[in-house]
Amino acid sequence: MKTFVLAGACVAATAVSAQEVDTTRVNLGEAQVVTNRATRKTPIAFSNLNRAALAQVNKGQDIPFLLSTLPGVVATSDAGNGVGYTALRVRGTDATRINVTANGIPLNDAESHGLFWVNMGDFASSLNDLQVQRGVGTSTNGAGAFGASINMGTERPALLPATEVNVGYGSFNTTKNTLKFHSGLLNNHWAFDARLSYIASDGYRDRATTQLGSYFTQGTYFNGGTMLQLLAFGGKEKTYHAWDGISRDDLKHRRTYNPNGEIKEGKKVVGFYDDQTDVYFQQHAQALLTQRLAPRWNLSAALHYTYGTGYYEEYKNQRKLKDYKLPTFLLNGIEQKQSDLIRRKALENHFFGAIASLNYKEAAWDITAGMGLNRYEGDHYGRVLWVKNYLGNLRPKHEYYRNTGTKTDGNAYVRANFTPVESLNLFADMQYRFIGYKIEGTSDKKAVHDTNENFHFFNPKFGATWNVTTDHQLYASVAVAHREPTRNNYEENFSNHAPRAERLTDFEVGYRYTGAKWEANVGGYYMLYRDQFVANGRYNEIGEAIVENVKDSYRAGIELSGVWKPVQWFRWEANLALSTNRIKDYTAYLYDEDYGEHERKVGNTTIALSPGAAFNNCFAFRHRRFEASLTTQYVGRQYLDNLEMKENSLEAYCVSHLNVGYSFPLRGVKEASISATVYNLFNTKYETNGYSQTSIEKATGKLLSDPRFYPMAGTHLMFNLGLKF
């Protein structure tokens, strides 16, 4: 089940300065939590956001927009205002290659490989910190990281009792309501925390409504070197579809138009279907244990279970009845092979497993060995609810396909840091990963599924970090990663181009400087791919990009970030990502008007949706109880497919956001604050996502362009009030 960062804080600079903090171990009493976090001695590119930085930008938008000013990150929004169906790309790679974990437990969908952030409403309000690792990163559980990994840690138990209320209201009837409760430390061993949230918005685009209800609860027991946490979180989302983009002409004349739900008579749109909606309920349960076994030994273990169920319903115009296992019928003596209909596609899934790691640290050695075993079981089915003018026997909830996907995912790794001398750290990370994936049954795309694949991957990583002085640091690393195809890869490519697993070799080098007045990071990377999946410009019926393997491709770039703090009340933060993203000897497979496939030799070309430049700048001011910031983001041109045609591209854009906030004393309240954010301050017209739909004319071989775009909102506002008791 499937803009921008609030200017209330400058995420990029916070990320730079946060690299000073080693968040690998969090002391709570005498217990220690060990995660797959990178630290300053890890030779990879990463950014940290602590709880304060997340709180400053968390005004109601989804997590992708809270991260959109980090180096190389681009966030997208179907509804146009960062609420609802949102996604992000890092270094040009999409969500299916970005591994996301919470407390080390994988959150990516086992079949699609992506995380649908719409199912994680207001999750940022329950986070203690977050780390984005760019490139392959450290070994982790779940889907392979091919562009980045996002490691989220849920909030630590509060040791003092408190109640927090946050309410917000803004343009497009956007509302954010959050209630949090903390019991504080009870009997020196227990603590309980809870959150309830509701976020809703009409969206910038027509009918692009969003309703997100969510919860988070945790109970924590700790005693000396033991900490046990039981967590439950999840919620329900309901959104009106905004999965389809609009034409270039619509961008000029009816920018907010949403074609989803159209009801047509012939070619004329006569209305919109009210229940063109996506509904999904998801709940997570985690049991986390950390145990100090000895002064040098620490154990972490976790059990997890995720349950999800939902559907999307849609009105479809003039569909072939045979595709829905329905017989034709006679209407006024004429055989009807097509008709309007309402269909519902649904799924129910279970994801469960266990992970564990053992850490040893003494003098020059820091070694972690870990393993994980996860199981996924998912049922998919489709039903026809109604057919226009149908004269046959239509059974209630007529089922036209059903299939089951099962997946076993296991991994084991050993990661070591060795410091032979005080200034030098040597890093090695070895991971073995096994995947067994099977799909059985039928679908609307494939008559009978015959997918039954096993994969064995070995992912080694090596590197070194040299502390030249206390302020200057150099690092270098090389890492290998593999990734299996997704469910969509098997369904969309089953005819002539069977999907293949991807391989990535990632070379990273970097320099870090930390001083009293300013900080700087410079990183370079060369990511060499074999059989990389890249978008080909086509989208399926639910707004998901169709991808294909390309034999040889690479991404190379440089990332610079820094912060200048000349005085206590002013910070200047900025980052710049410059990259080249290329396919070697590309061959495009294009369809003609009769759905015949044609090969088109292209040669070396730019990878779709991979901007060559992305720049973020932030001026932040803070004086006593008042704070303000101005954030500006620039993203270069992005091609919608791999043909490198200007007419099939997203124009470069530059957008700014202004935030002001004030905290004040209030009787009976520990803390009170208000803030106002102006998104898209200068009313820029821009788009962050799209698809090309390029086809070929059968008779002439001429390329035909019909691109679609997802417009972003102009100037709009959000106001927030926070109270803590």
Side-chain angles (χ1 to χ4, degrees), residues 663-681:
S663 59
F664 55 93
L666 190 64
R667 180 176 296 179
V669 177
K670 294 180 181 177
E671 297 179 17
S673 63
I674 56 173
S675 68
T677 305
V678 184
Y679 300 101
N680 196 354
L681 180 63

Side-chain angles (χ1 to χ4, degrees), residues 437-457:
Y437 182 42
K438 179 184 289 189
I439 310 175
E440 296 179 297
T442 62
S443 78
D444 59 336
K445 299 175 183 177
K446 193 172 184 177
V448 178
H449 274 291
D450 57 0
T451 301
N452 188 359
E453 300 278 358
N454 291 323
F455 300 91
H456 299 269
F457 297 143

Side-chain angles (χ1 to χ4, degrees), residues 279-506:
V279 179
Y280 197 71
F281 169 75
Q282 188 176 75
Q283 59 183 8
H284 303 258
Q286 298 180 356
L288 312 174
L289 171 68
T290 62
Q291 178 67 53
R292 189 184 61 174
L293 302 176
R296 301 178 183 89
W297 294 89
N298 292 280
L299 172 70
S300 296
L303 298 174
H304 67 89
Y305 171 70
T306 300
Y307 173 74
T309 184
Y311 65 88
Y312 63 89
E313 185 171 311
E314 52 190 348
Y315 191 101
K316 307 302 290 186
N317 295 278
Q318 288 300 294
R319 288 301 169 119
K320 294 179 181 179
L321 297 175
K322 68 176 183 179
D323 291 342
Y324 295 85
K325 296 182 179 180
L326 291 169
T328 61
F329 64 97
L330 294 176
L331 182 63
N332 299 324
I334 301 174
E335 184 182 19
Q336 305 295 311
K337 297 182 179 181
Q338 296 180 325
S339 184
D340 296 356
L341 54 84
I342 297 172
R343 72 182 187 187
R344 177 180 287 186
K345 291 187 174 185
L347 77 159
E348 181 178 20
N349 53 57
H350 308 266
F351 180 61
F352 51 92
I355 63 173
S357 65
L358 182 65
N359 176 256
Y360 171 81
K361 186 174 183 181
E362 180 184 20
W365 288 97
D366 185 350
I367 303 173
T368 299
M371 62 185 303
L373 182 63
N374 303 303
R375 174 72 174 179
Y376 170 88
E377 299 173 356
D379 292 324
H380 306 256
Y381 56 93
R383 291 171 174 170
V384 176
L385 306 183
W386 171 85
V387 181
K388 183 178 181 180
N389 296 324
Y390 196 66
L391 300 180
N393 293 320
L394 179 64
R395 298 189 305 275
K397 298 182 179 179
H398 167 80
E399 189 170 287
Y400 66 99
Y401 77 85
R402 178 179 286 270
N403 62 74
T404 300
T406 57
K407 189 172 187 178
T408 300
D409 188 338
N411 75 89
Y413 65 90
V414 176
R415 183 171 60 248
N417 289 279
F418 174 57
T419 308
V421 294
E422 185 176 352
S423 62
L424 179 65
N425 181 75
L426 303 178
F427 170 84
D429 188 333
M430 308 285 188
Q431 183 201 49
Y432 165 75
R433 184 166 175 247
F434 166 78
I435 302 100
Y437 182 42
K438 179 184 289 189
I439 310 175
E440 296 179 297
T442 62
S443 78
D444 59 336
K445 299 175 183 177
K446 193 172 184 177
V448 178
H449 274 291
D450 57 0
T451 301
N452 188 359
E453 300 278 358
N454 291 323
F455 300 91
H456 299 269
F457 297 143
F458 176 58
N459 302 316
K461 308 169 183 68
F462 302 96
T465 303
W466 178 30
N467 295 313
V468 183
T469 68
T470 55
D471 297 334
H472 300 270
Q473 184 183 73
L474 297 172
Y475 67 85
S477 65
V478 59
V480 174
H482 298 80
R483 177 183 168 277
E484 73 279 13
T486 70
R487 176 188 178 89
N488 281 350
N489 297 153
Y490 286 111
E491 292 198 327
E492 301 287 358
N493 295 280
F494 67 87
S495 58
N496 299 319
H497 316 292
R500 303 180 299 275
E502 301 172 279
R503 174 188 170 95
L504 166 62
T505 304
D506 180 21

Side-chain angles (χ1 to χ4, degrees), residues 246-264:
I246 60 175
S247 67
R248 197 177 297 277
D249 185 67
D250 284 338
L251 284 178
K252 297 178 181 178
H253 299 105
R254 48 177 187 174
R255 189 172 176 83
T256 65
Y257 186 68
N258 178 10
N260 291 97
E262 289 178 338
I263 300 175
K264 296 181 179 179

Side-chain angles (χ1 to χ4, degrees), residues 552-592:
D552 295 308
S553 58
Y554 68 90
R555 301 179 186 274
I558 184 171
E559 296 165 339
L560 305 96
S561 60
V563 55
W564 182 43
K565 304 168 288 185
V567 290
Q568 186 177 4
W569 52 267
F570 174 72
R571 293 171 63 94
W572 179 18
E573 307 167 356
N575 65 68
L576 172 66
L578 301 172
S579 64
T580 298
N581 309 276
R582 304 290 289 178
I583 302 172
K584 302 176 182 179
D585 196 24
Y586 176 63
T587 297
Y589 297 92
L590 303 170
Y591 293 99
D592 60 31

